[in-house]
Amino acid sequence: MGNRTFTMIKPDAMKNGHAGAILDRILKEGFHIKALKLTRLSPEKAAQFYAVHKDKPFYAELVSFMSSGPIIAAILEKENAVEDFRKLIGHTDPAKAEPNTIRKLYASSVGENAIHGSDSDENALIECRFMFSALEEY
Ligand code: UDP
Ligand code: MG
């Protein structure tokens, strides 16, 4: 699984019409899309996905934001996928993100920051399984 990561284009980027540009950029950076779906997270599912943050002050707002509209979820493949994709999306806070990263280009705040990327191979596998239950098909 070292060559795979999991992403979600978040509700803000969907609403602002950036999904096409973001997917185009991901492909141009050499990631292959192994699975993709347009879906919407229920509050329960968003809470479960971000359970690691349940004690943080921003948790309730995060769960509400992530379930506020459609998202695109995808499994991406590339050598060194997790690290390279984190580099491509940039810092959690777009104000601190490097130039030309996806968050610098498309995010408006630390909360509504356009895109998710897994932070480890272990979490990539957990997150891919969470959103694509029949993972062996991909
Ligand atoms: N988040 C937030 N406020 C913060 C930090 C994070 O609203 O101060 C949100 C933001 O949407 C972020 C998500 O919680 O993407 C998960 O936080 P994490 O620290 O895991 O950042 P990421 O891995 O997404 O860069
Ligand atoms: Mg994270």
Side-chain angles (χ1 to χ4, degrees):
M1 191 73 190
N3 58 345
R4 283 185 172 194
T5 192
F6 174 78
T7 189
M8 290 185 287
I9 299 177
K10 297 186 178 184
D12 61 318
M14 297 293 290
K15 191 176 70 191
N16 295 327
H18 297 312
I22 290 171
L23 287 172
D24 187 53
R25 176 71 186 278
I26 289 169
L27 292 171
K28 282 193 171 123
E29 295 289 341
F31 292 87
H32 298 278
I33 296 174
K34 304 303 289 183
L36 179 134
K37 69 177 169 189
L38 174 65
T39 184
R40 187 172 170 148
L41 293 174
S42 64
E44 294 70 27
K45 210 159 175 190
Q48 210 185 329
F49 186 87
Y50 282 111
V52 65
H53 294 302
K54 67 180 179 328
D55 297 325
K56 306 267 174 66
F58 57 83
Y59 182 62
E61 207 180 344
L62 174 62
V63 168
S64 152
F65 164 61
M66 286 302 296
S67 55
S68 67
I71 61 154
I72 286 174
I75 299 174
L76 304 176
E77 199 165 271
K78 183 184 186 291
E79 222 173 277
N80 204 34
V82 166
E83 197 187 335
D84 286 2
F85 195 70
R86 291 291 302 200
K87 236 177 256 165
L88 173 61
I89 70 178
H91 194 282
T92 307
D93 181 352
K96 297 180 189 153
E98 301 70 12
N100 208 32
T101 56
I102 290 174
R103 282 171 167 166
K104 177 59 99 185
L105 291 171
Y106 303 113
S108 48
S109 70
V110 64
E112 305 203 358
N113 60 3
I115 192 158
H116 168 82
S118 308
D119 63 5
S120 66
D121 288 348
E122 188 191 357
N123 283 334
L125 182 55
I126 291 168
E127 292 170 3
C128 288
R129 284 222 171 96
F130 182 80
M131 206 64 85
F132 296 94
S133 46
L135 192 55
E136 61 282 0
E137 288 175 21
Y138 308 104

